[in-house]
Amino acid sequence: LVTSCFLHGNFMHILFNGAALWQIGPVIEAHLGRWRYLGFCLVLAVASLGAELAISVGAVVGLSGIIFGMFGYLYSLRKTKDFAAAVMTPSAVQSMVFFFFLFIALDAAGAMRVGNWAHAAGAAVGWLFGYASIHRQRIVLIPLIVLLALGLGSLAYWMPWSADFCIYQAQKQAIAQNADGYQEWLSRARVAPIPPRLYAPEELPPP
């Protein structure tokens, strides 16, 4: 949930994410301080990647969930904090919104795989952090947002609604030679026949 943020699909992926982080990251770090900034990034990573893994099919890599979380944070503070207003110019906001919907369109068209749920969850959690930081009840609200983020992250460890997760559990049952458990999880995955590339012959239980 954290280390996959450092992986990227190609050079352009890391170039754009790195450029965005270089532009807005130091602004937030200067405001929060080094250690709170690190914690902020970790919470955004867990929330954004947890949401993506829980809803979409397959894994996702990259910093864009954190980038959109930083955008949400600065956007929520733009009317009360000068440092946020300086970054969240109308053109910057329009660009981020444009890319958000462009990525949705590209993913829907099958042109490229994009972690749109990670973007949405990151932006939402970042905005909540910004809102809570200027609210008089921030001592209560910020821990609640952290718990929300951890809850999103925990979904990655138990998501029986996901075909990928059910196939993974079926494979574990196959290795354990548990034919009943294997069939049960495979039926939950609603896949037939089972993709042969996922299993070695000796791992499959008898019919």
Side-chain angles (χ1 to χ4, degrees):
L1 291 174
V2 175
T3 54
S4 57
C5 293
F6 299 104
L7 304 176
H8 287 75
N10 52 52
F11 176 75
M12 294 303 294
H13 189 198
I14 196 171
L15 177 65
F16 279 104
N17 279 348
L21 182 64
W22 184 268
Q23 183 177 7
I24 64 177
V27 175
I28 300 176
E29 183 179 6
H31 173 66
L32 294 178
R34 179 176 300 175
W35 295 110
R36 284 195 296 173
Y37 174 70
L38 175 61
F40 176 63
C41 291
L42 291 175
V43 170
L44 289 177
V46 170
S48 60
L49 289 171
E52 183 67 31
L53 290 172
I55 298 174
S56 68
V57 176
V60 64
V61 296
L63 284 166
S64 53
I66 296 177
I67 300 298
F68 274 92
M70 292 180 176
F71 166 74
Y73 179 76
L74 291 173
Y75 184 81
S76 68
L77 296 177
R78 74 194 189 285
K79 293 183 178 180
T80 57
K81 301 292 183 180
D82 292 339
F83 79 93
V87 178
M88 289 291 100
T89 62
S91 61
V93 173
Q94 291 167 9
S95 295
M96 290 296 290
V97 173
F98 169 77
F99 280 113
F100 180 81
F101 287 104
L102 175 64
F103 291 145
I104 293 176
L106 290 173
D107 193 27
M112 60 187 298
R113 169 79 171 90
V114 183
N116 291 305
W117 288 106
H119 297 171
V125 172
W127 186 91
L128 287 172
F129 264 116
Y131 172 81
S133 67
I134 57 176
H135 197 279
R136 62 181 180 179
Q137 299 294 333
R138 58 182 174 273
I139 296 178
V140 175
L141 292 177
I142 291 178
L144 289 177
I145 297 168
V146 173
L147 289 175
L148 170 64
L150 294 177
L152 288 172
S154 68
L155 294 176
Y157 295 93
W158 187 258
M159 41 185 177
W161 57 85
S162 166
D164 283 352
F165 179 82
C166 292
I167 291 174
Y168 167 71
Q169 293 295 333
Q171 183 178 18
K172 289 175 62 177
Q173 296 299 318
I175 293 172
Q177 298 294 305
N178 183 350
D180 291 338
Y182 167 77
Q183 295 294 343
E184 179 184 353
W185 280 106
L186 196 59
S187 65
R188 292 188 187 187
R190 297 184 179 90
V191 292
I194 188 167
R197 63 182 177 81
L198 293 179
Y199 306 92
E202 63 271 18
E203 294 176 342
L204 295 176

